[in-house]
Amino acid sequence: MKNNERTRKNIIIEKRASVSPIITISITLISIVMALIFVSVFLFAKGYHPVEIYQMMFTRAFISKYGLTETVIKAIPLMLAGLGISIAFRMLLWNIGAEGQIYMGAFAASGIALAFPDLPRIVLLPAMLLAGFVMGGLWALVAAIPRALWKVNETITTLMLNYIAILWVSYLVFGPWKDPQGFNFPLTREFSEGAAYPLLFGTRVHFGIIIALLVALVLYVVLNYTRWGYEIRVIGESESAARYAGMNVMRNILLVMFLSGGLAGMAGMGEVAGVAHRLQAGVSPGYGYTAIIVAWLGKLNPWVIVLIAFLFGGLTVGASAVQSVGLPAATSVMIQGAILFFVLGADIFMRYRISFNRKREEG
Amino acid sequence: MGKDVLIDMRHITKRFPGVVANDQVTFKVQAGEVHALLGENGAGKSTLMSILSGLYRPDEGEIVIRGKRVTLKSPRSAIDHGIGMIHQHFKLITPFTVAENIALGSLDQSFKLDMKKIEQKVAEFSQKFGLHVDPQAKIWQLSIGEQQRVEIIKVLYQGADILILDEPTAVLTPQEVEELFVTVRKMAKEGKAVVIITHKLHEVMNISDRITILRKGKTIRTVAKGEVDTQELTQMMLNREVKTEIHRKPVPKGKAVLTLDKVSALGDKGLKALDDVSLTVREGEILGIAGVAGNGQRELTEVITGLRMATSGKVLIDDQDMTNQSPRMIIDAGVSHVPEDRMGMGLIPNMDVTNNIILKDYRRGSLGKGLLLPLNKAREMAENIVRNFDVKTPSVDTPVRLLSGGNLQKLLLAREIAENPRLIVTSYPIRGLDVGATESIYNLLLHQREQGRAILLIAEDLDTIMKISDRVAVLFKGKVMGLEDTDQATIDDVGAMMLGESPLEGREA
């Protein structure tokens, strides 16, 4: 009887004392594989061979020159918006309004481009970038001010503001800003030469990639090496400690939300200056939402966000490739969702150690 | 002795990552005795009792209850063996009534609740053991002492005859402690075994029959109370000669640093929490604030440090009006604050020692004012503080959540006195600390007093307040009940004031 008891199987769940980077990386990779397996069930049910499909997606997104170019182009707005979201998330401000902030940034940048088409590029582009940044930031402030003053839930307000921003841009391109020579398409006039981002490496990759990488660098330095970054980190960890230390929490909520929205606004500017060269209704096909996933999977670390944005850009491009065999482009959304689901679910394995061991028999 | 051995824990070993919390610990409890489990923080008392109450499982060793070897898989199975634990933080549902809370913890309820039966039982227990509490009262209406009684009734109702009380007196007034001890004695008389986890020596000598001393995870000895005195117990706990005496040298009192003039403020629920409070703290003086927790202490510290608005009255610091100024202004005026909530307000658990040390200095003093934070200097500063104040930490890059309670408090206090403050506001600085850590915290405070700092000390342990403070004020329902020199007041006077009796009545009694 004694032995019986001793050999019983136990499941032991214990908190990890510390989490090594190896554990973090391997658990993340395993959960991505799990997500792909999960999605393959659906692919299989639809009569496709999952491995072939994934191979097709991978080849298109990362192997071919055309595909790689597209991947980088799609990654640029994800990087900027993801970085913007990450800084708000660090302070536990749930800005899910990046989509709207992208649209408002695109709107402001387009306004400048259309109003001053004859300005030289060296003046016009910075002006557009600044306008996009400020407009995106202001749009975020619309939600941040009630949050700071009366604790109005910013998750709801930032989300609602997305719809307003998207409809505002629609109104402009269907109405007052519609190109008279545009055969009634909902588009503005094409921008002048000076309003277009230079292209790099003889590909369609535009200057926005440099901006995005610079932003990641600046954010990294600000967060880790400046007094302001220290305040942001403290407020994110504990608001009551921040107040106790004499930090102005309200001012920081406003500043961080402005910066967060501003970076998303820069993403919107990049789309009109680097890709579309005009304002149109679908400036962003949901970059602002995907960027939330990017920020989260990137653990709010600027460099990891850049990497994840690149992978997610590839996912979108890959999914467009499989349309040729009859799969919808929404496959990429499904994979994104599954990856997020599994990575978040795997969080418990990072914080706890679970072992299935038999109790020692000696004694 | 002929008494039944109820619990026999043999060679218990429990390891956590990096530490051996219990190392071959042996612990025996007999029926009908009050057994104190004594030891410093980190000695392994809580781990041992968590094993006994089914929360942890030992890596090695065996537990024998009433002569039978058992495996305690969960708190439930501990209860089935008659073991009930009363935790330091009560696990009661505040909007529910006493009877409902008891029903929640019991097994014998069918689909329909039989409240009559519970109320009957409660009445029986309250008569038998002096556990007076109204079964129909809601928990939030009860005092802390009454809530503790509910917890005790809860485990008695579950059929426990081995009760484990984890630091039961930490939150009680002296009168409530006396009542608790009466109950404990009655339960022992009925043949129940009571284990009290504590590090307060005078309580050990007062209540227990036998004492087991743990040190660094090992059993040092089990002794009967009559065999030892407090001096010997302290030595066994610490394994070094300590003088528990606190020496308060006479220090000349300077000018007033903090003056409160008829200050009132609201609590979190919008009710008046401070009512016309007037106080002065001078250079070289410690003013102790006594009182049962929840009588305005927290609000008092928050009003002084700018974290809460005063609705009327004035707060002066060095004759400057600081009423309702921002926390930053008040910090810059030289006010340090060691808050009650160490983890979360005073320290940030997930940040490392360096980042916690610079919480206030990141924008002033030797770290300068530029855009970039001089990380090397910050590190140096942290290393200095860790060295000078003897904070035990693997390195300054260690997240502070991994430090022990005593070291956390040292770190916090060290940061708060490092910039030579004018006034130190400190709440419950020794709560949860063991003898060794308590002593070093008190010596730090006394040293600050000798340096001419003004100190406002909020504490719950009357003995120490009386020893360390120059004057003592008692807060009751947001009012100052009395303000006396500690050399003249007696503990009984202060204890009476804590329960709302005016000092004059106290004197006459």
Side-chain angles (χ1 to χ4, degrees):
Chain A
M1 188 202 140
K2 195 173 171 182
N3 266 337
N4 218 0
E5 214 170 54
R6 296 224 146 201
T7 52
R8 273 245 304 278
K9 228 180 176 185
N10 287 305
I11 301 175
I12 297 169
I13 302 180
E14 265 174 327
K15 223 173 185 154
R16 287 181 197 273
S18 62
V19 186
S20 73
I22 298 163
I23 289 175
T24 313
I25 292 168
S26 50
I27 288 179
T28 308
L29 288 179
I30 291 168
S31 33
I32 290 174
V33 171
M34 297 281 283
L36 293 180
I37 293 171
F38 176 76
V39 172
S40 63
V41 172
F42 290 89
L43 293 176
F44 203 73
K46 288 287 280 174
Y48 296 97
H49 195 295
V51 175
E52 266 169 34
I53 297 289
Y54 289 144
Q55 210 168 15
M56 199 187 279
M57 289 177 73
F58 185 82
T59 314
R60 166 65 75 87
F62 301 113
I63 305 294
S64 77
K65 186 183 170 195
Y66 166 78
L68 201 56
T69 305
E70 289 303 300
T71 295
V72 174
I73 291 172
K74 296 263 188 304
I76 293 167
L78 292 179
M79 286 176 194
L80 281 167
L83 291 167
I85 287 167
S86 74
I87 190 163
F89 277 16
R90 248 178 207 274
M91 281 196 23
L92 309 184
L93 293 168
W94 307 114
N95 173 21
I96 56 172
E99 184 75 356
Q101 291 142 17
I102 290 173
Y103 272 85
M104 292 315 273
F107 146 69
S110 303
I112 299 286
L114 294 170
F116 309 101
D118 303 327
L119 283 177
R121 182 180 272 180
I122 193 78
V123 181
L124 188 51
L125 274 178
M128 286 167 67
L129 191 64
L130 185 69
F133 178 80
V134 171
M135 194 64 221
L138 289 176
W139 200 242
L141 274 190
V142 174
I145 291 169
R147 159 66 217 259
L149 293 180
W150 309 295
K151 299 208 174 229
V152 174
N153 187 329
E154 77 283 359
T155 320
I156 307 291
T157 49
T158 50
L159 178 66
M160 297 304 215
L161 286 168
N162 285 346
Y163 300 110
I164 300 175
I166 293 167
L167 289 170
W168 169 244
V169 167
S170 285
Y171 161 73
L172 289 175
V173 296
F174 277 100
W177 283 13
K178 188 160 68 180
D179 182 3
Q181 275 99 51
F183 308 103
N184 231 7
F185 281 113
L187 308 164
T188 62
R189 271 188 290 129
E190 189 169 6
F191 295 168
S192 63
E193 275 291 290
Y197 261 152
L199 301 181
L200 306 174
F201 324 117
T203 64
R204 291 183 57 231
V205 173
H206 57 80
F207 192 73
I209 184 68
I210 308 277
I211 301 280
L213 293 175
L214 274 177
V215 165
L217 177 68
V218 169
L219 221 51
Y220 175 77
V221 171
V222 164
L223 279 174
N224 293 296
Y225 297 98
T226 69
R227 277 169 229 279
W228 187 43
Y230 178 73
E231 285 195 1
I232 292 174
R233 284 187 288 135
V234 169
I235 295 171
E237 284 285 344
S238 166
E239 206 174 304
S240 69
R243 281 185 212 285
Y244 158 82
M247 295 175 187
N248 190 334
V249 175
M250 198 190 283
R251 194 185 62 193
N252 273 308
I253 289 177
L254 298 179
L255 273 174
V256 162
M257 278 294 272
F258 183 82
L259 179 62
S260 174
L263 293 182
M266 281 165 70
M269 177 273 179
E271 288 310 284
V272 292
V275 182
H277 303 296
R278 48 162 48 103
L279 187 63
Q280 58 194 37
V283 169
S284 159
Y287 289 136
Y289 297 113
T290 308
I292 298 171
I293 307 179
V294 169
W296 204 247
L297 292 183
K299 301 261 172 208
L300 312 185
N301 173 321
W303 298 121
V304 186
I305 287 173
V306 166
L307 179 72
I308 302 271
F310 178 68
L311 295 178
F312 269 55
L315 198 57
T316 323
V317 173
S320 67
V322 297
Q323 277 176 287
S324 62
V325 294
L327 272 170
T331 312
S332 83
V333 181
M334 198 165 122
I335 297 175
Q336 282 173 16
I339 290 177
L340 184 69
F341 187 85
F342 277 89
V343 171
L344 293 187
D347 206 44
I348 186 167
F349 297 104
M350 300 212 193
R351 284 185 290 125
Y352 296 90
R353 176 170 44 216
I354 297 171
S355 52
F356 304 87
N357 60 339
R358 285 168 194 279
K359 254 186 149 182
R360 254 162 282 147
E361 282 182 67
E362 88 269 14
Chain B
M1 306 261 263
K3 279 184 177 170
D4 304 335
V5 175
L6 283 185
I7 306 169
D8 188 358
M9 299 178 84
R10 296 173 189 163
H11 309 294
I12 300 288
T13 297
K14 176 73 186 172
R15 298 183 194 87
F16 290 112
V19 282
V20 183
N22 285 162
D23 186 1
Q24 298 284 322
V25 171
T26 300
F27 183 60
K28 268 187 202 181
V29 181
Q30 296 165 346
E33 75 167 341
V34 180
H35 197 129
L37 189 56
L38 185 65
E40 290 194 282
N41 288 321
K45 301 171 301 213
S46 296
T47 305
L48 189 66
M49 288 303 104
S50 297
I51 289 172
L52 188 56
S53 59
L55 284 170
Y56 296 148
R57 293 217 226 163
D59 297 327
E60 287 164 32
E62 52 184 22
I63 303 169
V64 177
I65 293 175
R66 290 183 202 83
K68 267 174 68 183
R69 211 186 147 274
V70 297
T71 308
L72 300 171
K73 294 192 198 74
S74 65
R76 181 95 274 161
S77 74
I79 290 164
D80 292 341
H81 286 104
I83 299 166
M85 178 136 180
I86 289 105
H87 293 270
Q88 203 175 349
H89 302 284
F90 304 144
K91 302 184 179 337
L92 297 169
I93 299 179
T94 50
F96 281 20
T97 66
V98 171
E100 283 165 344
N101 269 282
I102 291 164
L104 204 61
S106 71
L107 289 170
D108 62 336
Q109 295 294 327
S110 55
F111 186 66
K112 193 177 168 296
L113 281 175
D114 187 357
M115 283 297 175
K116 272 270 154 55
K117 188 181 156 197
I118 290 174
E119 284 168 23
Q120 225 169 24
K121 273 277 191 185
V122 172
E124 192 189 310
F125 288 138
S126 78
Q127 207 217 346
K128 209 158 146 192
F129 302 120
L131 292 160
H132 302 295
V133 62
D134 173 8
Q136 281 167 7
K138 303 254 199 289
I139 298 299
W140 59 264
Q141 298 169 317
L142 304 180
S143 70
I144 297 293
E146 286 173 310
Q147 292 186 21
Q148 190 178 54
R149 279 176 228 156
V150 178
E151 285 280 16
I152 295 175
I153 293 172
K154 209 165 87 182
V155 298
L156 288 175
Y157 189 85
Q158 290 166 347
D161 50 10
I162 301 159
L163 287 95
I164 306 165
L165 299 162
D166 186 6
E167 306 250 355
T169 60
V171 288
L172 303 182
T173 63
Q175 279 80 357
E176 284 173 327
V177 170
E178 235 354 277
E179 285 169 28
L180 171 70
F181 284 179
V182 169
T183 300
V184 166
R185 283 194 196 96
K186 280 182 176 163
M187 291 194 293
K189 221 173 177 181
E190 288 285 317
K192 295 182 186 300
V194 184
V195 178
I196 292 186
I197 304 177
T198 184
H199 47 237
K200 291 186 186 163
L201 292 172
H202 61 275
E203 285 175 2
V204 170
M205 295 311 275
N206 180 343
I207 186 74
S208 56
D209 300 313
R210 291 200 305 157
I211 304 152
T212 292
I213 299 107
L214 290 187
R215 189 174 73 224
K216 291 181 180 159
K218 293 188 172 133
T219 315
I220 299 304
R221 247 175 93 190
T222 297
V223 292
K225 180 172 63 180
E227 298 170 14
V228 286
D229 60 26
T230 47
Q231 202 65 38
E232 287 170 283
L233 283 178
T234 313
Q235 269 180 39
M236 283 190 267
M237 262 170 84
L238 301 178
N239 195 25
R240 59 187 163 100
E241 290 280 347
V242 283
K243 24 183 210 326
T244 42
E245 289 296 298
I246 296 166
H247 295 293
R248 183 155 48 91
K249 293 182 201 156
V251 169
K253 308 292 171 243
K255 57 191 182 81
V257 177
L258 170 73
T259 309
L260 296 191
D261 184 21
K262 294 192 171 161
V263 170
S264 297
L266 301 181
D268 289 340
K269 286 179 180 157
L271 302 171
K272 201 166 213 180
L274 286 182
D275 193 357
D276 269 355
V277 171
S278 297
L279 296 171
T280 317
V281 193
R282 289 168 295 166
E283 290 170 339
E285 178 179 58
I286 297 181
L287 173 68
I289 304 282
V292 179
N295 274 290
Q297 291 93 327
R298 191 163 60 85
E299 289 81 359
L300 178 67
T301 61
E302 288 178 351
V303 163
I304 296 168
T305 53
L307 294 167
R308 184 177 294 271
M309 291 295 223
T311 49
S312 64
K314 271 203 165 109
V315 180
L316 303 177
I317 290 157
D318 279 329
D319 295 330
Q320 248 185 308
D321 189 351
M322 282 294 186
T323 321
N324 295 338
Q325 288 293 350
S326 71
R328 189 174 210 141
M329 292 275 291
I330 291 170
I331 292 168
D332 290 345
V335 177
S336 272
H337 182 196
V338 179
E340 180 181 354
D341 179 13
R342 285 171 216 162
M343 283 294 228
M345 185 184 265
L347 296 168
I348 301 158
N350 289 328
M351 285 189 153
D352 63 20
V353 172
T354 306
N355 275 307
N356 272 287
I357 286 293
I358 63 170
L359 187 60
K360 285 179 172 173
D361 282 340
Y362 76 99
R363 58 181 175 81
R364 62 172 185 182
S366 57
L367 295 184
K369 279 194 176 306
L371 183 70
L372 293 178
L373 197 55
L375 295 178
N376 288 335
K377 264 192 197 161
R379 210 188 148 82
E380 230 170 80
M381 191 170 166
E383 276 165 355
N384 278 337
I385 284 185
V386 164
R387 196 170 336 111
N388 294 343
F389 291 88
D390 192 27
V391 179
K392 300 231 163 41
T393 172
S395 80
V396 292
D397 305 319
T398 309
V400 298
R401 72 185 140 84
L402 299 177
L403 303 191
S404 76
N407 281 303
L408 281 174
Q409 188 66 326
K410 261 198 227 167
L411 187 71
L412 178 50
L413 195 57
R415 182 186 75 208
E416 292 304 305
I417 60 189
E419 290 289 314
N420 300 328
R422 293 283 298 149
L423 170 72
I424 302 167
V425 177
T426 162
S427 291
Y428 309 105
I430 56 144
R431 184 181 274 175
L433 302 191
D434 54 55
V435 180
T438 299
E439 204 189 296
S440 60
I441 296 294
Y442 276 144
N443 283 330
L444 278 175
L445 285 175
L446 284 170
H447 182 70
Q448 289 299 305
R449 169 178 169 272
E450 282 155 29
Q451 308 280 304
R453 319 254 192 270
I455 299 171
L456 183 83
L457 167 76
I458 291 177
E460 49 211 347
D461 185 353
L462 272 186
D463 281 341
T464 34
I465 286 194
M466 299 297 277
K467 266 190 204 156
I468 194 179
S469 315
D470 297 286
R471 288 185 302 144
V472 58
V474 178
L475 269 183
F476 179 74
K477 292 189 175 166
K479 276 185 191 296
V480 173
M481 292 306 290
L483 192 63
E484 312 210 17
D485 280 354
T486 46
D487 299 335
Q488 284 153 31
T490 67
I491 287 197
D492 288 340
D493 291 343
V494 177
M497 284 193 274
M498 283 168 68
L499 293 175
E501 288 166 33
S502 83
L504 283 179
E505 285 168 43
R507 278 282 149 71
E508 280 159 10

